Amino acid sequence: MKKFLFVLMSLFLFQMICYAKDIIEFDFPNDGWHKVPSPDGLEAKKSYVPYNQTAENYTEMLVFTEKALNNRDIAPMTILHKQLGKDRTNYPDIEPQYIKHDFNEAMVTWCSQKKNTCTVERAFQGNEGVILVIYTNKMPHYSQNMFAQWSNIIGSVKLYDKKDTPLPSNVIEL
């Protein structure tokens, strides 16, 4: 009986060691972006704001999160649709515009005129789940340049290939 328990405990320990979260590569658009606590208090979200801004007082924020999936059949498009449902609760006047509308990778922009907020959101498949990247701007200038620039920036986020060593400086562990 003791041997069985020992083997079982060893197996659980081995599984915990082998479980690895995804790592993404991302180059911030300029210097000064720094990590802050997530405004909603979720530790799983990695939130970043520009220089001289905080989690409580920001105009721009970038949030990276990974939705770990028990069921691998859930597509990134589904996760993005769920996120848009949450967004509509807080911003009922939004009309999402899809930049990329694919099951394995989706990207959308929306603006709320009432709350003067715009976002660019992207969901794509990671190794351990679906990665969601959200850029929020609370003082948008509503120009096409903002959407084009941030769509390109958000579109450049990619999974880190663990074969590459050593670990570069532009990685974020989810």
Side-chain angles (χ1 to χ4, degrees):
M1 181 67 170
K2 287 182 182 179
K3 287 182 182 179
F4 177 73
L5 243 73
F6 179 76
V7 170
L8 190 61
M9 293 293 284
S10 298
L11 183 62
F12 284 127
L13 180 62
F14 180 73
Q15 282 181 329
M16 288 189 325
I17 291 171
C18 290
Y19 181 74
K21 296 295 258 174
D22 281 325
I23 299 173
I24 57 172
E25 287 185 68
F26 178 70
D27 291 316
F28 285 96
N30 49 39
D31 292 336
W33 285 79
H34 59 280
K35 188 176 178 184
V36 295
S38 174
D40 54 8
L42 296 176
E43 199 171 303
K45 290 183 178 179
K46 309 297 184 213
S47 303
Y48 296 84
V49 295
Y51 180 72
N52 284 339
Q53 296 182 28
T54 65
E56 297 81 28
N57 184 19
Y58 67 92
T59 56
E60 294 178 281
M61 180 177 278
L62 238 131
V63 177
F64 302 92
T65 188
E66 184 169 29
K67 304 290 184 178
L69 301 175
N70 294 334
N71 181 356
R72 290 274 190 190
D73 295 337
I74 299 176
M77 175 66 79
T78 305
I79 299 295
L80 187 61
H81 278 258
K82 287 182 181 183
Q83 179 61 42
L84 285 172
K86 292 177 186 176
D87 294 339
R88 282 191 181 102
T89 302
N90 297 321
Y91 306 95
D93 64 323
I94 66 172
E95 293 180 25
Q97 303 294 315
Y98 283 90
I99 297 170
K100 191 164 191 170
H101 201 214
D102 187 278
F103 280 115
N104 294 321
E105 182 176 354
M107 190 181 303
V108 67
T109 64
W110 59 257
C111 286
S112 170
Q113 296 283 340
K114 290 179 182 176
K115 295 197 178 179
N116 198 34
T117 300
C118 290
T119 71
V120 178
E121 301 177 359
R122 177 179 174 217
F124 63 99
Q125 188 65 54
N127 296 321
E128 303 297 328
V130 173
I131 298 171
L132 191 60
V133 182
I134 301 172
Y135 167 75
T136 304
N137 189 327
K138 290 177 152 183
M139 293 180 59
H141 42 79
Y142 298 106
S143 73
Q144 285 299 109
N145 185 36
M146 181 195 85
F147 291 117
Q149 176 191 10
W150 278 99
S151 297
N152 288 335
I153 291 169
I154 298 298
S156 72
V157 177
K158 65 180 182 177
L159 282 175
Y160 171 69
D161 186 1
K162 295 176 183 174
K163 295 176 201 168
D164 297 339
T165 53
L167 200 65
S169 61
N170 65 338
V171 297
I172 299 169
E173 190 170 347
L174 300 175

